[in-house]
Amino acid sequence: SVTFEISDDVPSHIAKTNATNAQERSLRLIDWNVEMLLHIIRQIIARRDAARNPGAPNQSATQSSWMKQKHGGKARAGKGGSQRPGSNDGDNASPQFNPLDEVKEIIHLPEFNKQVAKAQENADHVTIDPIIIKQLRSFIANIAGMYRDNSFHNFEHASHVTMSVIKLLARIVAPSDLDELESAGANPEASADNDGHHVAATLHDHTYGITSDPLTQLACAFSAMIHDVDHVGVPNAQLVKEKASIAEVYGNRSVAEQNSLVLSWDLFMADEYSELRNCICSTPAEVDRFRQLVVNGVMATDIVDKELKQLRNNRWDKAFDKNHEESAKDATNRKATIVIEHLIQASDVSHTMQHWHVYRKWNERFF
């Protein structure tokens, strides 16, 4: 649950009113995030049902223990062997590297499939188990409670970034493609089924597979929602300068971002969210891809680290260099990976590109 402390610096009746308003605002944001993620989860379910071979076993029931073994662990050792602050003793330490070490240059997305694309378009009819909805709401409410009461790096900012990510995902269609799609739709000799296939295939190619894979879209929204969890309100450089223990744990690089991801992922791996996890990721391959996308997405929000910035710029140059030779599949997935990172990065500062009053509101809070 989300709770708010009443300050002693203002009259009690004003403080109580402010706390009530803040709690109501947070609950509205939680409800909104639940609805946005449920919409994408319905598409995931529709895609999975359409892609599953008749008679194929549903692996989701066995995934919880596998996910915990590979991606779980309530404690995590830093590069120097230190435990994450607030974690349990070393017996439960995860052997994984810090998230920064997991950043991938290429994340492979699913290839286009006409059958599943059609199913995704009609996902509104999908019924989601009430247990999964309950777990999703509980997870998001706990994420909201893990945000500190900062003026900028708070749950409202995270929700704003999530909204920007979802809007940008919905807008990455070029006008030339729209003209082409309209022309195809006007062809009297084309069947409705072929038109639908042409539209979906064109969008898939133009967006490097991003818009036709709901798991990727969910990972983007998930990354945006968790990217500033537990942020203390000061830059990473200050944490390193003050020799904060958390900076040492994460090797003095991308401290806040790595901490946010670790805390959020540990919560996601809790037993109480097993049905939610199995609904989102039903196979080991989906778990790996979801984790990789979230890691790359959250790490992309560190725009200050010079080495990370240079690596991202190099990856962008390589992705869109016509002289760079690699397989068509790798080339497409390389573009998708770097576009996703820049999409989340742009969403993190999206207030700078929005209405003047929105820009002023968030810039005043930031400074």
Side-chain angles (χ1 to χ4, degrees), residues 307-335:
E307 183 176 343
L308 272 181
K309 185 176 184 298
Q310 186 60 49
L311 287 173
R312 274 195 299 270
N313 289 343
N314 291 342
R315 291 207 301 276
W316 179 278
D317 292 340
K318 185 184 294 185
F320 294 97
D321 181 2
K322 295 181 179 180
N323 296 321
H324 179 68
E325 296 183 2
E326 61 184 339
S327 69
K329 183 177 180 180
D330 281 350
T332 298
N333 285 312
R334 183 187 297 278
K335 289 183 176 72

PDB file of all heavy atoms in Angstrom, residues 307-335:
ATOM      1  N   GLU A 307      31.077   6.969 -20.815  1.00  0.00           N
ATOM      2  CA  GLU A 307      31.393   5.711 -21.486  1.00  0.00           C
ATOM      3  C   GLU A 307      30.126   5.076 -22.054  1.00  0.00           C
ATOM      4  O   GLU A 307      30.115   4.591 -23.189  1.00  0.00           O
ATOM      5  CB  GLU A 307      32.072   4.750 -20.512  1.00  0.00           C
ATOM      6  CG  GLU A 307      32.503   3.443 -21.160  1.00  0.00           C
ATOM      7  CD  GLU A 307      33.255   2.529 -20.202  1.00  0.00           C
ATOM      8  OE1 GLU A 307      33.726   3.027 -19.151  1.00  0.00           O
ATOM      9  OE2 GLU A 307      33.356   1.332 -20.501  1.00  0.00           O
ATOM     10  N   LEU A 308      29.048   5.076 -21.261  1.00  0.00           N
ATOM     11  CA  LEU A 308      27.787   4.530 -21.735  1.00  0.00           C
ATOM     12  C   LEU A 308      27.270   5.306 -22.945  1.00  0.00           C
ATOM     13  O   LEU A 308      26.784   4.720 -23.915  1.00  0.00           O
ATOM     14  CB  LEU A 308      26.738   4.578 -20.610  1.00  0.00           C
ATOM     15  CG  LEU A 308      26.666   3.380 -19.660  1.00  0.00           C
ATOM     16  CD1 LEU A 308      25.556   3.608 -18.638  1.00  0.00           C
ATOM     17  CD2 LEU A 308      26.437   2.084 -20.401  1.00  0.00           C
ATOM     18  N   LYS A 309      27.374   6.623 -22.861  1.00  0.00           N
ATOM     19  CA  LYS A 309      26.910   7.469 -23.961  1.00  0.00           C
ATOM     20  C   LYS A 309      27.689   7.171 -25.241  1.00  0.00           C
ATOM     21  O   LYS A 309      27.107   7.070 -26.326  1.00  0.00           O
ATOM     22  CB  LYS A 309      27.052   8.948 -23.589  1.00  0.00           C
ATOM     23  CG  LYS A 309      26.496   9.921 -24.623  1.00  0.00           C
ATOM     24  CD  LYS A 309      26.600  11.352 -24.116  1.00  0.00           C
ATOM     25  CE  LYS A 309      25.965  12.331 -25.096  1.00  0.00           C
ATOM     26  NZ  LYS A 309      26.631  12.343 -26.402  1.00  0.00           N
ATOM     27  N   GLN A 310      28.992   7.025 -25.118  1.00  0.00           N
ATOM     28  CA  GLN A 310      29.825   6.746 -26.276  1.00  0.00           C
ATOM     29  C   GLN A 310      29.494   5.380 -26.878  1.00  0.00           C
ATOM     30  O   GLN A 310      29.421   5.218 -28.103  1.00  0.00           O
ATOM     31  CB  GLN A 310      31.307   6.801 -25.899  1.00  0.00           C
ATOM     32  CG  GLN A 310      32.253   6.658 -27.088  1.00  0.00           C
ATOM     33  CD  GLN A 310      32.054   7.757 -28.117  1.00  0.00           C
ATOM     34  OE1 GLN A 310      32.017   8.939 -27.781  1.00  0.00           O
ATOM     35  NE2 GLN A 310      31.916   7.364 -29.383  1.00  0.00           N
ATOM     36  N   LEU A 311      29.253   4.395 -26.004  1.00  0.00           N
ATOM     37  CA  LEU A 311      28.906   3.063 -26.478  1.00  0.00           C
ATOM     38  C   LEU A 311      27.573   3.083 -27.228  1.00  0.00           C
ATOM     39  O   LEU A 311      27.416   2.431 -28.268  1.00  0.00           O
ATOM     40  CB  LEU A 311      28.829   2.088 -25.295  1.00  0.00           C
ATOM     41  CG  LEU A 311      30.164   1.682 -24.662  1.00  0.00           C
ATOM     42  CD1 LEU A 311      29.921   0.866 -23.399  1.00  0.00           C
ATOM     43  CD2 LEU A 311      31.004   0.883 -25.652  1.00  0.00           C
ATOM     44  N   ARG A 312      26.603   3.853 -26.690  1.00  0.00           N
ATOM     45  CA  ARG A 312      25.308   3.963 -27.369  1.00  0.00           C
ATOM     46  C   ARG A 312      25.452   4.648 -28.719  1.00  0.00           C
ATOM     47  O   ARG A 312      24.859   4.235 -29.716  1.00  0.00           O
ATOM     48  CB  ARG A 312      24.307   4.723 -26.482  1.00  0.00           C
ATOM     49  CG  ARG A 312      23.571   3.845 -25.483  1.00  0.00           C
ATOM     50  CD  ARG A 312      22.375   4.566 -24.902  1.00  0.00           C
ATOM     51  NE  ARG A 312      22.741   5.761 -24.190  1.00  0.00           N
ATOM     52  CZ  ARG A 312      23.031   5.810 -22.886  1.00  0.00           C
ATOM     53  NH1 ARG A 312      22.999   4.708 -22.167  1.00  0.00           N
ATOM     54  NH2 ARG A 312      23.350   6.949 -22.310  1.00  0.00           N
ATOM     55  N   ASN A 313      26.246   5.708 -28.757  1.00  0.00           N
ATOM     56  CA  ASN A 313      26.462   6.413 -30.025  1.00  0.00           C
ATOM     57  C   ASN A 313      27.127   5.495 -31.053  1.00  0.00           C
ATOM     58  O   ASN A 313      26.777   5.510 -32.246  1.00  0.00           O
ATOM     59  CB  ASN A 313      27.318   7.653 -29.799  1.00  0.00           C
ATOM     60  CG  ASN A 313      26.583   8.743 -29.050  1.00  0.00           C
ATOM     61  OD1 ASN A 313      25.350   8.722 -28.955  1.00  0.00           O
ATOM     62  ND2 ASN A 313      27.315   9.696 -28.501  1.00  0.00           N
ATOM     63  N   ASN A 314      28.084   4.694 -30.587  1.00  0.00           N
ATOM     64  CA  ASN A 314      28.770   3.764 -31.491  1.00  0.00           C
ATOM     65  C   ASN A 314      27.801   2.714 -32.032  1.00  0.00           C
ATOM     66  O   ASN A 314      27.860   2.337 -33.206  1.00  0.00           O
ATOM     67  CB  ASN A 314      29.934   3.082 -30.778  1.00  0.00           C
ATOM     68  CG  ASN A 314      31.077   4.048 -30.476  1.00  0.00           C
ATOM     69  OD1 ASN A 314      31.164   5.122 -31.066  1.00  0.00           O
ATOM     70  ND2 ASN A 314      31.943   3.668 -29.554  1.00  0.00           N
ATOM     71  N   ARG A 315      26.905   2.244 -31.134  1.00  0.00           N
ATOM     72  CA  ARG A 315      25.934   1.230 -31.550  1.00  0.00           C
ATOM     73  C   ARG A 315      24.960   1.820 -32.566  1.00  0.00           C
ATOM     74  O   ARG A 315      24.535   1.142 -33.506  1.00  0.00           O
ATOM     75  CB  ARG A 315      25.177   0.671 -30.343  1.00  0.00           C
ATOM     76  CG  ARG A 315      26.040  -0.169 -29.410  1.00  0.00           C
ATOM     77  CD  ARG A 315      25.217  -1.203 -28.663  1.00  0.00           C
ATOM     78  NE  ARG A 315      24.168  -0.626 -27.864  1.00  0.00           N
ATOM     79  CZ  ARG A 315      24.324  -0.145 -26.626  1.00  0.00           C
ATOM     80  NH1 ARG A 315      25.529  -0.158 -26.082  1.00  0.00           N
ATOM     81  NH2 ARG A 315      23.308   0.337 -25.948  1.00  0.00           N
ATOM     82  N   TRP A 316      24.588   3.080 -32.367  1.00  0.00           N
ATOM     83  CA  TRP A 316      23.681   3.744 -33.322  1.00  0.00           C
ATOM     84  C   TRP A 316      24.362   3.875 -34.681  1.00  0.00           C
ATOM     85  O   TRP A 316      23.778   3.586 -35.717  1.00  0.00           O
ATOM     86  CB  TRP A 316      23.272   5.115 -32.786  1.00  0.00           C
ATOM     87  CG  TRP A 316      22.353   5.861 -33.720  1.00  0.00           C
ATOM     88  CD1 TRP A 316      22.705   6.596 -34.816  1.00  0.00           C
ATOM     89  CD2 TRP A 316      20.925   5.894 -33.663  1.00  0.00           C
ATOM     90  NE1 TRP A 316      21.588   7.110 -35.434  1.00  0.00           N
ATOM     91  CE2 TRP A 316      20.478   6.688 -34.748  1.00  0.00           C
ATOM     92  CE3 TRP A 316      19.974   5.347 -32.794  1.00  0.00           C
ATOM     93  CZ2 TRP A 316      19.129   6.948 -34.983  1.00  0.00           C
ATOM     94  CZ3 TRP A 316      18.636   5.603 -33.026  1.00  0.00           C
ATOM     95  CH2 TRP A 316      18.224   6.390 -34.116  1.00  0.00           C
ATOM     96  N   ASP A 317      25.616   4.336 -34.668  1.00  0.00           N
ATOM     97  CA  ASP A 317      26.360   4.503 -35.921  1.00  0.00           C
ATOM     98  C   ASP A 317      26.495   3.175 -36.657  1.00  0.00           C
ATOM     99  O   ASP A 317      26.332   3.107 -37.885  1.00  0.00           O
ATOM    100  CB  ASP A 317      27.749   5.087 -35.641  1.00  0.00           C
ATOM    101  CG  ASP A 317      27.679   6.525 -35.143  1.00  0.00           C
ATOM    102  OD1 ASP A 317      26.645   7.176 -35.362  1.00  0.00           O
ATOM    103  OD2 ASP A 317      28.655   6.982 -34.512  1.00  0.00           O
ATOM    104  N   LYS A 318      26.791   2.120 -35.910  1.00  0.00           N
ATOM    105  CA  LYS A 318      26.948   0.807 -36.529  1.00  0.00           C
ATOM    106  C   LYS A 318      25.612   0.308 -37.090  1.00  0.00           C
ATOM    107  O   LYS A 318      25.563  -0.280 -38.176  1.00  0.00           O
ATOM    108  CB  LYS A 318      27.499  -0.192 -35.506  1.00  0.00           C
ATOM    109  CG  LYS A 318      27.818  -1.556 -36.094  1.00  0.00           C
ATOM    110  CD  LYS A 318      28.271  -2.536 -35.019  1.00  0.00           C
ATOM    111  CE  LYS A 318      29.591  -2.124 -34.396  1.00  0.00           C
ATOM    112  NZ  LYS A 318      30.071  -3.166 -33.440  1.00  0.00           N
ATOM    113  N   ALA A 319      24.533   0.560 -36.344  1.00  0.00           N
ATOM    114  CA  ALA A 319      23.206   0.072 -36.757  1.00  0.00           C
ATOM    115  C   ALA A 319      22.753   0.706 -38.070  1.00  0.00           C
ATOM    116  O   ALA A 319      22.128   0.051 -38.909  1.00  0.00           O
ATOM    117  CB  ALA A 319      22.187   0.322 -35.662  1.00  0.00           C
ATOM    118  N   PHE A 320      23.058   1.986 -38.254  1.00  0.00           N
ATOM    119  CA  PHE A 320      22.546   2.697 -39.423  1.00  0.00           C
ATOM    120  C   PHE A 320      23.640   3.044 -40.433  1.00  0.00           C
ATOM    121  O   PHE A 320      23.448   3.896 -41.293  1.00  0.00           O
ATOM    122  CB  PHE A 320      21.800   3.957 -38.969  1.00  0.00           C
ATOM    123  CG  PHE A 320      20.552   3.633 -38.197  1.00  0.00           C
ATOM    124  CD1 PHE A 320      20.561   3.618 -36.809  1.00  0.00           C
ATOM    125  CD2 PHE A 320      19.376   3.301 -38.850  1.00  0.00           C
ATOM    126  CE1 PHE A 320      19.418   3.299 -36.086  1.00  0.00           C
ATOM    127  CE2 PHE A 320      18.228   2.975 -38.144  1.00  0.00           C
ATOM    128  CZ  PHE A 320      18.239   2.973 -36.751  1.00  0.00           C
ATOM    129  N   ASP A 321      24.763   2.367 -40.315  1.00  0.00           N
ATOM    130  CA  ASP A 321      25.847   2.511 -41.287  1.00  0.00           C
ATOM    131  C   ASP A 321      25.602   1.536 -42.438  1.00  0.00           C
ATOM    132  O   ASP A 321      25.630   0.313 -42.255  1.00  0.00           O
ATOM    133  CB  ASP A 321      27.194   2.212 -40.620  1.00  0.00           C
ATOM    134  CG  ASP A 321      28.363   2.371 -41.572  1.00  0.00           C
ATOM    135  OD1 ASP A 321      28.134   2.749 -42.755  1.00  0.00           O
ATOM    136  OD2 ASP A 321      29.510   2.126 -41.150  1.00  0.00           O
ATOM    137  N   LYS A 322      25.348   2.065 -43.622  1.00  0.00           N
ATOM    138  CA  LYS A 322      25.038   1.211 -44.773  1.00  0.00           C
ATOM    139  C   LYS A 322      26.225   0.345 -45.173  1.00  0.00           C
ATOM    140  O   LYS A 322      26.056  -0.670 -45.856  1.00  0.00           O
ATOM    141  CB  LYS A 322      24.600   2.081 -45.953  1.00  0.00           C
ATOM    142  CG  LYS A 322      23.287   2.822 -45.712  1.00  0.00           C
ATOM    143  CD  LYS A 322      22.893   3.641 -46.926  1.00  0.00           C
ATOM    144  CE  LYS A 322      21.575   4.370 -46.692  1.00  0.00           C
ATOM    145  NZ  LYS A 322      21.170   5.183 -47.874  1.00  0.00           N
ATOM    146  N   ASN A 323      27.413   0.734 -44.751  1.00  0.00           N
ATOM    147  CA  ASN A 323      28.597  -0.029 -45.120  1.00  0.00           C
ATOM    148  C   ASN A 323      28.921  -1.147 -44.118  1.00  0.00           C
ATOM    149  O   ASN A 323      29.843  -1.929 -44.340  1.00  0.00           O
ATOM    150  CB  ASN A 323      29.806   0.900 -45.241  1.00  0.00           C
ATOM    151  CG  ASN A 323      29.634   1.905 -46.370  1.00  0.00           C
ATOM    152  OD1 ASN A 323      29.118   1.576 -47.438  1.00  0.00           O
ATOM    153  ND2 ASN A 323      30.066   3.141 -46.136  1.00  0.00           N
ATOM    154  N   HIS A 324      28.171  -1.175 -42.999  1.00  0.00           N
ATOM    155  CA  HIS A 324      28.421  -2.214 -42.001  1.00  0.00           C
ATOM    156  C   HIS A 324      27.798  -3.524 -42.470  1.00  0.00           C
ATOM    157  O   HIS A 324      26.612  -3.596 -42.765  1.00  0.00           O
ATOM    158  CB  HIS A 324      27.821  -1.810 -40.652  1.00  0.00           C
ATOM    159  CG  HIS A 324      28.029  -2.842 -39.582  1.00  0.00           C
ATOM    160  ND1 HIS A 324      29.261  -3.135 -39.063  1.00  0.00           N
ATOM    161  CD2 HIS A 324      27.147  -3.663 -38.942  1.00  0.00           C
ATOM    162  CE1 HIS A 324      29.153  -4.081 -38.146  1.00  0.00           C
ATOM    163  NE2 HIS A 324      27.870  -4.417 -38.051  1.00  0.00           N
ATOM    164  N   GLU A 325      28.615  -4.574 -42.546  1.00  0.00           N
ATOM    165  CA  GLU A 325      28.153  -5.851 -43.085  1.00  0.00           C
ATOM    166  C   GLU A 325      27.794  -6.825 -41.965  1.00  0.00           C
ATOM    167  O   GLU A 325      28.597  -7.089 -41.073  1.00  0.00           O
ATOM    168  CB  GLU A 325      29.232  -6.463 -43.979  1.00  0.00           C
ATOM    169  CG  GLU A 325      29.548  -5.643 -45.227  1.00  0.00           C
ATOM    170  CD  GLU A 325      30.564  -6.321 -46.122  1.00  0.00           C
ATOM    171  OE1 GLU A 325      30.986  -7.455 -45.777  1.00  0.00           O
ATOM    172  OE2 GLU A 325      30.935  -5.737 -47.164  1.00  0.00           O
ATOM    173  N   GLU A 326      26.576  -7.338 -42.012  1.00  0.00           N
ATOM    174  CA  GLU A 326      26.110  -8.397 -41.119  1.00  0.00           C
ATOM    175  C   GLU A 326      24.820  -8.959 -41.706  1.00  0.00           C
ATOM    176  O   GLU A 326      24.285  -8.429 -42.679  1.00  0.00           O
ATOM    177  CB  GLU A 326      25.886  -7.870 -39.699  1.00  0.00           C
ATOM    178  CG  GLU A 326      24.839  -6.783 -39.562  1.00  0.00           C
ATOM    179  CD  GLU A 326      24.747  -6.267 -38.139  1.00  0.00           C
ATOM    180  OE1 GLU A 326      25.173  -6.977 -37.209  1.00  0.00           O
ATOM    181  OE2 GLU A 326      24.263  -5.138 -37.953  1.00  0.00           O
ATOM    182  N   SER A 327      24.323 -10.028 -41.146  1.00  0.00           N
ATOM    183  CA  SER A 327      23.112 -10.645 -41.670  1.00  0.00           C
ATOM    184  C   SER A 327      21.938  -9.677 -41.547  1.00  0.00           C
ATOM    185  O   SER A 327      21.927  -8.798 -40.683  1.00  0.00           O
ATOM    186  CB  SER A 327      22.798 -11.929 -40.907  1.00  0.00           C
ATOM    187  OG  SER A 327      22.403 -11.637 -39.577  1.00  0.00           O
ATOM    188  N   ALA A 328      20.964  -9.844 -42.423  1.00  0.00           N
ATOM    189  CA  ALA A 328      19.788  -8.968 -42.399  1.00  0.00           C
ATOM    190  C   ALA A 328      19.064  -9.058 -41.056  1.00  0.00           C
ATOM    191  O   ALA A 328      18.565  -8.054 -40.530  1.00  0.00           O
ATOM    192  CB  ALA A 328      18.841  -9.347 -43.538  1.00  0.00           C
ATOM    193  N   LYS A 329      19.016 -10.256 -40.486  1.00  0.00           N
ATOM    194  CA  LYS A 329      18.350 -10.451 -39.198  1.00  0.00           C
ATOM    195  C   LYS A 329      19.066  -9.692 -38.091  1.00  0.00           C
ATOM    196  O   LYS A 329      18.432  -8.992 -37.288  1.00  0.00           O
ATOM    197  CB  LYS A 329      18.291 -11.945 -38.871  1.00  0.00           C
ATOM    198  CG  LYS A 329      17.542 -12.259 -37.587  1.00  0.00           C
ATOM    199  CD  LYS A 329      17.460 -13.769 -37.366  1.00  0.00           C
ATOM    200  CE  LYS A 329      16.702 -14.079 -36.081  1.00  0.00           C
ATOM    201  NZ  LYS A 329      16.616 -15.548 -35.843  1.00  0.00           N
ATOM    202  N   ASP A 330      20.389  -9.825 -38.030  1.00  0.00           N
ATOM    203  CA  ASP A 330      21.152  -9.109 -37.007  1.00  0.00           C
ATOM    204  C   ASP A 330      21.048  -7.599 -37.207  1.00  0.00           C
ATOM    205  O   ASP A 330      20.968  -6.835 -36.239  1.00  0.00           O
ATOM    206  CB  ASP A 330      22.620  -9.535 -37.041  1.00  0.00           C
ATOM    207  CG  ASP A 330      22.855 -10.868 -36.347  1.00  0.00           C
ATOM    208  OD1 ASP A 330      21.925 -11.362 -35.686  1.00  0.00           O
ATOM    209  OD2 ASP A 330      23.967 -11.423 -36.476  1.00  0.00           O
ATOM    210  N   ALA A 331      21.054  -7.160 -38.449  1.00  0.00           N
ATOM    211  CA  ALA A 331      20.968  -5.730 -38.744  1.00  0.00           C
ATOM    212  C   ALA A 331      19.640  -5.158 -38.240  1.00  0.00           C
ATOM    213  O   ALA A 331      19.599  -4.080 -37.633  1.00  0.00           O
ATOM    214  CB  ALA A 331      21.114  -5.483 -40.239  1.00  0.00           C
ATOM    215  N   THR A 332      18.553  -5.886 -38.491  1.00  0.00           N
ATOM    216  CA  THR A 332      17.233  -5.429 -38.044  1.00  0.00           C
ATOM    217  C   THR A 332      17.147  -5.405 -36.531  1.00  0.00           C
ATOM    218  O   THR A 332      16.663  -4.431 -35.931  1.00  0.00           O
ATOM    219  CB  THR A 332      16.132  -6.344 -38.607  1.00  0.00           C
ATOM    220  OG1 THR A 332      16.146  -6.268 -40.029  1.00  0.00           O
ATOM    221  CG2 THR A 332      14.765  -5.927 -38.098  1.00  0.00           C
ATOM    222  N   ASN A 333      17.636  -6.459 -35.879  1.00  0.00           N
ATOM    223  CA  ASN A 333      17.573  -6.516 -34.416  1.00  0.00           C
ATOM    224  C   ASN A 333      18.505  -5.502 -33.757  1.00  0.00           C
ATOM    225  O   ASN A 333      18.208  -4.981 -32.681  1.00  0.00           O
ATOM    226  CB  ASN A 333      17.910  -7.929 -33.936  1.00  0.00           C
ATOM    227  CG  ASN A 333      16.779  -8.906 -34.178  1.00  0.00           C
ATOM    228  OD1 ASN A 333      15.628  -8.632 -33.868  1.00  0.00           O
ATOM    229  ND2 ASN A 333      17.098 -10.060 -34.757  1.00  0.00           N
ATOM    230  N   ARG A 334      19.629  -5.210 -34.407  1.00  0.00           N
ATOM    231  CA  ARG A 334      20.523  -4.185 -33.879  1.00  0.00           C
ATOM    232  C   ARG A 334      19.816  -2.826 -33.897  1.00  0.00           C
ATOM    233  O   ARG A 334      19.894  -2.054 -32.938  1.00  0.00           O
ATOM    234  CB  ARG A 334      21.812  -4.125 -34.706  1.00  0.00           C
ATOM    235  CG  ARG A 334      22.832  -3.119 -34.164  1.00  0.00           C
ATOM    236  CD  ARG A 334      24.006  -2.980 -35.133  1.00  0.00           C
ATOM    237  NE  ARG A 334      24.726  -4.231 -35.284  1.00  0.00           N
ATOM    238  CZ  ARG A 334      25.650  -4.653 -34.428  1.00  0.00           C
ATOM    239  NH1 ARG A 334      25.957  -3.928 -33.365  1.00  0.00           N
ATOM    240  NH2 ARG A 334      26.274  -5.802 -34.641  1.00  0.00           N
ATOM    241  N   LYS A 335      19.126  -2.540 -34.997  1.00  0.00           N
ATOM    242  CA  LYS A 335      18.378  -1.282 -35.097  1.00  0.00           C
ATOM    243  C   LYS A 335      17.285  -1.234 -34.033  1.00  0.00           C
ATOM    244  O   LYS A 335      17.084  -0.207 -33.373  1.00  0.00           O
ATOM    245  CB  LYS A 335      17.766  -1.132 -36.489  1.00  0.00           C
ATOM    246  CG  LYS A 335      18.763  -0.867 -37.601  1.00  0.00           C
ATOM    247  CD  LYS A 335      18.044  -0.666 -38.927  1.00  0.00           C
ATOM    248  CE  LYS A 335      19.032  -0.309 -40.055  1.00  0.00           C
ATOM    249  NZ  LYS A 335      19.846  -1.457 -40.466  1.00  0.00           N
TER     250      LYS A 335
END
